[in-house]
Amino acid sequence: MAMARASSGLQYPERFYAAASYAGFDGSPRSSSKAVRSKFNSESALILYALYQQATVGPCNTPEPSAWNAVEKSKWSSWKKLADMASTEAMRLFVKILEEEDPGWYSRASNFVSDPVVDVQMNQSSNVHPVVENGNPFPETKTISTENGSIVEAQDKDVVSEGFGSIGVYDQWIAPPISGHRPKSRYEHGAAVIQDKMYIYGGNHNGRYLNDLHALDLRSWSWSKIEAKAGAESLESPSPVTVTARAGHSLISWENKLISIAGHTKDPSDSIEVKAFDLQTCTWSFLKTYGKPPASRGGQSVSLVGGGLVIFGGQDAKRTLLNDLHILDLETMTWDEIDAIGVPPSPRSDHTAAVHADRYLLIFGGGSHATCYNDLHVLDLQTMEWSRPTQQGEIPTARAGHAGVTVGENWFIVGGGDNKSGASETVVLNMSTLVWSVVTTVEGRIPVASEGLSLAVGSYNGEDVLVSFGGYNGRYNNEVNVLKPSHKSTLQSKMMETPVPDSVSAVLNATNGTRDVESEFEAGQEGKIREIVMDNVESDLMKARGKSTNEHLIATLKAEKEELESSLSKEKVQTLQLKQELAEAETRNTDLYKELQSVRGQLASEQSRCFKLEVELAELRQKLQTMEALQKELELLQRQKAASEQAALNAKRQSSGGVWGWLAGTPGNEKADDA
């Protein structure tokens, strides 16, 4: 059997260390701050630095640098924001960002990275060393042969069958015989069906964004490339338009046009861009919108509901995860940001969304930077209230990067991964009963177990078929696979296979959300879903059973309904009592607050009076000191007066001393004679 030499690429963590060495984060002679800055802008360099530290050191536990050192402070902040992200996830994101910033890094790094070479069997499942993408151990096969001088990517054959000779097989993935020029391998592209053609636009190939448009004829299964012409700035303006390459966008069919909305681009704008491709004129046009548009993003979900697009979540240009909700009215082209009540899904990207009964928006799965989810959230588009119903049946594992489409009340989910392994099972959710079941499980490395694949609903011989394209599972692919659903996972078959009490109980408990007491029992969305579910249950049971069975089931349902209504009434009474107690507590709190305010007022008054007394006391002390000084001065004056009077008296006595001295026998001129 012919053999070919194929480059397998490097495994993780070797692939990460090779990328880090190339980017300049390994301390080698090639690595320096100057070298890093020369290859990347400051924002990308900060993100790569943070991911490298997270992958090699772990969560940031170093002290925060001084504010004056702006560079070190920015590096520390970027690292700190990664929190407890796993090392393997940090490695994966590092390589992914490097591929987006420098798509040809691996080939340029090959002169200093040893790339193992392995033998690959032609047209067989390749036995190669696995490379871990998103933590998934997928083998990576780059090249197997040449046709007409061009390199052809490896094709895996782990599909149930090829061709439509066995199209009668339900619930199995089949590879139809494709003709025409296949689009380039890609993932995170947009896909939509109009009439009998599936259109593929944009995507990501080896880190490079694409802007090509292809059509697959679902009758002949033939590819053709559509050469788009430059369109107008708006549907009325003749200004030329350049179609920007993008990935992670959404493609919606509307009025014989393809609407492309959001997505990651090399030079992102501040807000979401909306473009339309006219199939008649083969031209792209920017659609002028009004109101405040959402921030630009990729990995969001976009759902067509009536004449509007409902946009949820995604990841903005700075890789911040979002969980905001916006609606674009396609008639007025006006944006409206929705502030829904209840607890919304956590910020996420690469999730899926579906619409049930033109009223309920369902959000499933998705991921953050380090975690994948398998939670289910429901938004009532009439009351704009979020709830998180309880899922039933075979609940899917956590995943992100999956794709989903609806066929009637069934929501089919395909592909995705959870940072550990790819999702090999195709699952379906009955949106009326919220019961999950597995349609089929694939084996081996085939595209329907990929991330970033697209899934669309087409028609073949009058029956619905699911059509998948592209994806990444260790390599980018451009294969088409088809599944014809049997619809056996609907409510009617479940009721026939399962005993009535269990099934009814599962249906009626399907929407018991994990919400607070007040929103749980205040005539919210859950109650409304329950009423619709009851109607659907009764309708389908009447079709599935005879008259006696119907009577028995209706009686059972009525009993269950009465029990639920009784339970709900008790909860409402309890809620009312809690509200009354809360009101009483608030009243007591108000009285205590008023009393506290009164005491505070009295205290302030006493403080003011004390202050005045202190001022008066100070004034009295000053007066007392003045009086003491005056007293001393008075005493001094009195002593001086007494001394003056004594001196005067002495002087008077001396002036009359001659007469008195003569009488006493002492002549007055005695002193003179003696002298």
Side-chain angles (χ1 to χ4, degrees), residues 129-150:
H129 296 292
V131 75
V132 179
E133 174 72 15
N134 259 4
N136 303 340
F138 292 120
E140 181 181 28
T141 303
K142 294 284 181 79
T143 308
I144 63 168
S145 65
T146 54
E147 293 181 6
N148 298 327
S150 61

Side-chain angles (χ1 to χ4, degrees), residues 61 163 173 223 225 227 327 348 445 495 571 600 637:
N61 293 319
W173 286 104
W223 280 109
K225 184 176 182 180
E227 297 296 339
I327 293 180
R348 66 190 63 200
R445 182 168 57 95
M495 293 299 294
E571 294 295 341
R600 284 177 175 173
L637 291 173

Side-chain angles (χ1 to χ4, degrees), residues 1-39:
M1 183 174 292
M3 304 293 291
R5 303 289 288 173
S7 172
S8 70
L10 290 176
Q11 303 181 36
Y12 283 78
E14 286 78 10
R15 189 178 184 88
F16 160 74
Y17 290 120
S21 176
Y22 174 81
F25 287 95
D26 64 343
S28 66
R30 290 181 304 276
S31 66
S32 65
S33 297
K34 184 177 180 181
V36 172
R37 289 195 301 270
S38 67
K39 292 180 182 178

